[in-house]
Each structure stands twice: as C-alpha cells, then as structure tokens.
Amino acid sequence: MKCAMLYAPGKLKIEEVEIPAVRKGEVLVEVRAALTCGTDIKTYQRGHPVLIKKYPSPFGHEFSGVISKVGSGVKRFTEGMRVVAANSAPCGQCYFCKKGYVNLCEDLRLLNGAYAQYIVVPERIVNKNLLEIPEHVSFKEAALSEPIACCLNAVCQSDISLGDTVAIIGLGPIGLILTHLYHLNGAKVIACGKGKERLELAKILGAEFTVNADEIHDKTEEIKAVKKLSNNDRGADIVVEAVGKTDTWEMAVKMVRRGGLVILFGGCPSGTSFNMDTSLIHYEQITIKGIFHYTPELFKRALDLISSGKINTKKIISGRLPLEKLEEAFSMVKQKVGVKYLIDPFYE
Ligand SMILES: [Zn+2]
Ligand SMILES: [Zn+2]
C-alpha cells in the first residue's frame, strides 16, 4: 500500500509498504478520506513528543473509510462497513478516567497513520471510539468528527447563554469550527484572525463581526476592537484562544469582561509560560479554562451533529488531493489558502 512516512521533521516520503496485519480485536480500514489538521502540520514541521515516538513514522489522524478486514473477536463491525475512528481511546481504569476526566486519561491509546491507503484500528479504539457512518453522510463529512469533537469540548464547557458575546482568536480550521459551533449555540461571535479568505469564511459560518488582525499591528488595538463590539466596551462574555501562542493567550485574558470566561484552546509548546495581571483573576474574577482533546461521548455527538445536517461542513474542506500532494496541502494551509484538505489515498 501507499503510505506517507515521516523520516525527520520536514522530511516526508510516500512509500510502498506492506498492508499491516490485523490481530485479535482490531479492524483494518481502507482510508477514503484523511483530513489535514494543524496538529499534523506541526508534527511534520517539528516532530511531536507524544505522537511520534520514533522515526520513520506514519502519521495523520482525522480519517474515515471502509472496513476491509476484521480481526478475531470483533463483533460489532463487519467487512464493508463505512466507519470513522477517533484518534484515541481512554483506558476507563485509571484515576482520571474514574474521576470522569476521560480526556485526561493517563493511558490514552493513540492512533496515527491516516495518510496511507490502509490503517489498523487498535482494539481499544474499536471498542470505544469506532462509529458506523450513517448512509447519507459522506466520508469527507464524517472525517470531521474528530476536530468537531475537540471544539464541542470547548462549547460544552462554556455555560453559554443565548446572545452571549464570544470572541474567537485565530481562524485556522479549529477557530472556524469554533466560530460555527458558538454561532449555532446562539452566541454573537466576534472572529479575530488573519487572511481575507478565512475572515470571509468566518462570516459565512456565523460570525457577526470580524476583526482583521492583518490590519492591526498592535495587540492593544485588537483588544480595543473586540471590547468595542462587546457589552459596551466591557469585554466579551467568553473569549476562546485558538492559536496556541503565549502572546495571544495574554491577549485573550484582556479581552474578557469582568466575571467572564477565557478558554485557552490552542496548546503552546511545553515549557512556555505567559504573563497576566493578577487583578484579573481576583478583582475582576475572570475564569480561565484549558481545553484539551475530547471524550468518546463528544466524538459520538460530533458525528450525530454532522449527520443531522446542522453543521455546514462544505466550507471547511477546501479540496481533494492525492497522497503525493500532502506536503503541498500543508504548505497551502500554512499560506492560508484553504482551510482543510481531504487527502484521498486512492485518488485517480
Ligand atoms: Zn486533528
Ligand atoms: Zn484512563
């Protein structure tokens, strides 16, 4: 089969490799749609301490396809079924799983390798996080379940009320999905980001206002612009940072109103820190929440939402490309041309 292999940061080869064998409890999926994701681009550029343990390594994690083989003992799934798999499954046994924080599981079983013609889904993910795709949902739409599940995690922890002002910082794929989901929840969304195409897309997906960070060269100005649009200059009810940089984290806490909520969604490199005025926490009583990953329940909910037709998935995927054009797809996303690309390893 064809498979994209990472040999080192920035060094990728499309290779011919053996189709992996299926063991007990596993299923082999023929990949029909593998989506590009910011995490994969970061992994490609600088490696990943958790996802890539050794080189060469396959990668890619947002995918859907058809089951082409099932291992012994697999009961719920059969060959020919159209499925979408999450890229992880919690153990259900550890301290955090038992406490109900399954996204923080100490033994999260991860899956990587979607940029290939076939991928083996490990037993735990088969049992907990593999879903059959309803007939009317395309592979392309279903493959969005993973990023949507991540974004739902933020929305579900926002305690949002109809009409709340929500500022989203960063309009990459995640920022755009967040914009859409908060809009669907009745928020007045202020989308802040760069790139004309993405700012327009944010509007299509439901943003009431956009703040073009390309035209603002100073973070103070950007804070002012958001405040002006929220609660008579008081600041947004909720601010969601979807960039993953310390300076935008610092900006996020200054955009929220007193008593408001800041969600730090974008992960910064480990070991970095950020500064904030302590009075924001005490005298202004803001709440700061980190959001990481998702749970099997949210993954299922994401597919249900896609299947209900409530989510505008068309605008989020910008094109379909063969595996050989994976690096091209990454560079287009980096240049803000398109949002997410569908990699079809069987493209003809
Ligand atoms: Zn992803
Ligand atoms: Zn666990």
Side-chain angles (χ1 to χ4, degrees):
M1 68 163 186
K2 276 195 283 186
C3 172
M5 281 284 196
L6 257 189
Y7 276 80
K11 244 191 157 180
L12 184 152
K13 276 191 207 161
I14 309 296
E15 293 184 339
E16 204 48 57
V17 299
E18 288 292 321
I19 295 177
V22 181
R23 293 169 301 184
K24 180 179 161 287
E26 299 175 336
V27 307
L28 182 71
V29 174
E30 185 183 290
V31 178
R32 293 296 177 83
L35 305 183
T36 59
C37 165
T39 303
D40 297 333
I41 298 176
K42 268 195 245 172
T43 302
Y44 164 71
Q45 288 178 306
R46 51 169 138 114
H48 197 291
V50 182
L51 298 176
I52 309 282
K53 295 258 158 63
K54 62 175 189 334
Y55 291 107
S57 171
F59 72 127
H61 66 277
E62 295 177 8
F63 73 99
S64 62
V66 178
I67 293 183
S68 73
K69 230 183 227 173
V70 296
S72 62
V74 173
K75 298 219 167 62
R76 284 192 303 130
F77 299 96
T78 50
E79 275 174 37
M81 250 184 197
R82 299 165 72 245
V83 289
V84 57
N87 66 334
S88 74
C91 73
Q93 306 293 322
C94 73
Y95 175 86
F96 295 101
C97 279
K98 287 187 172 154
K99 278 264 181 193
Y101 298 106
V102 298
N103 59 319
L104 301 181
C105 173
E106 283 175 325
D107 181 27
L108 210 55
R109 177 69 173 86
L110 291 163
L111 176 58
N112 233 338
Y115 297 134
Q117 289 184 312
Y118 294 89
I119 185 168
V120 169
V121 180
E123 186 172 13
R124 198 201 284 169
I125 297 181
V126 170
N127 292 335
K128 296 189 175 175
N129 254 341
L130 183 66
L131 303 174
E132 186 173 10
I133 303 171
E135 240 169 74
H136 66 281
V137 177
S138 66
F139 289 116
K140 167 172 137 176
E141 293 170 303
L144 282 169
S145 301
E146 194 266 348
I148 290 177
C150 287
C151 295
L152 278 176
N153 196 8
V155 178
C156 292
Q157 294 199 50
S158 291
D159 191 19
I160 187 167
S161 303
L162 213 60
D164 274 353
T165 301
V166 178
I168 311 275
I169 304 170
L171 297 177
I174 289 290
L176 288 166
I177 295 172
L178 285 165
T179 296
H180 193 44
L181 295 182
Y182 277 102
H183 160 71
L184 291 175
N185 275 271
K188 182 176 98 177
V189 178
I190 305 167
C192 314
K194 293 178 178 176
K196 206 170 157 247
E197 186 196 349
R198 289 180 174 185
L199 287 155
E200 271 164 23
L201 202 46
K203 283 224 156 152
I204 295 170
L205 293 171
E208 196 142 328
F209 302 103
T210 53
V211 172
N212 185 347
D214 279 325
E215 288 170 356
I216 301 172
H217 296 291
D218 173 352
K219 294 262 185 286
T220 324
E221 287 300 306
E222 199 167 340
I223 295 163
K224 253 193 216 161
V226 167
K227 283 197 157 181
K228 214 167 133 189
L229 297 165
S230 349
N231 304 313
N232 287 327
D233 255 345
R234 290 187 179 87
D237 299 297
I238 300 167
V239 178
V240 187
E241 198 275 2
V243 177
K245 286 190 179 155
T246 51
D247 58 344
T248 36
W249 277 35
E250 286 174 7
M251 183 170 80
V253 296
K254 292 177 187 161
M255 275 182 182
V256 79
R257 66 156 165 79
R258 291 178 172 209
L261 170 68
V262 178
I263 292 191
L264 300 174
F265 192 101
C268 303
S270 304
T272 50
S273 30
F274 81 115
N275 280 307
M276 64 177 291
D277 184 337
T278 54
S279 67
L280 290 175
I281 295 268
H282 183 80
Y283 298 105
E284 302 203 5
Q285 220 180 295
I286 70 168
T287 301
I288 298 177
K289 254 187 204 178
I291 291 287
F292 169 71
H293 212 54
Y294 55 90
T295 63
E297 195 256 318
L298 289 169
F299 186 66
K300 192 175 173 303
R301 211 154 133 185
L303 182 62
D304 286 346
L305 261 176
I306 293 165
S307 154
S308 75
K310 286 197 178 72
I311 296 186
N312 183 351
T313 51
K314 282 184 197 74
K315 295 287 174 189
I316 296 163
I317 297 168
S318 315
R320 176 173 158 265
L321 295 167
L323 199 53
E324 289 75 11
K325 296 224 164 134
L326 181 60
E327 285 179 290
E328 214 172 286
F330 287 166
S331 76
M332 284 195 284
V333 175
K334 274 191 288 177
Q335 288 160 36
K336 300 189 170 60
V337 177
V339 182
K340 270 174 121 56
Y341 286 90
L342 183 156
I343 303 299
D344 177 355
F346 291 93
Y347 189 102
E348 274 176 7

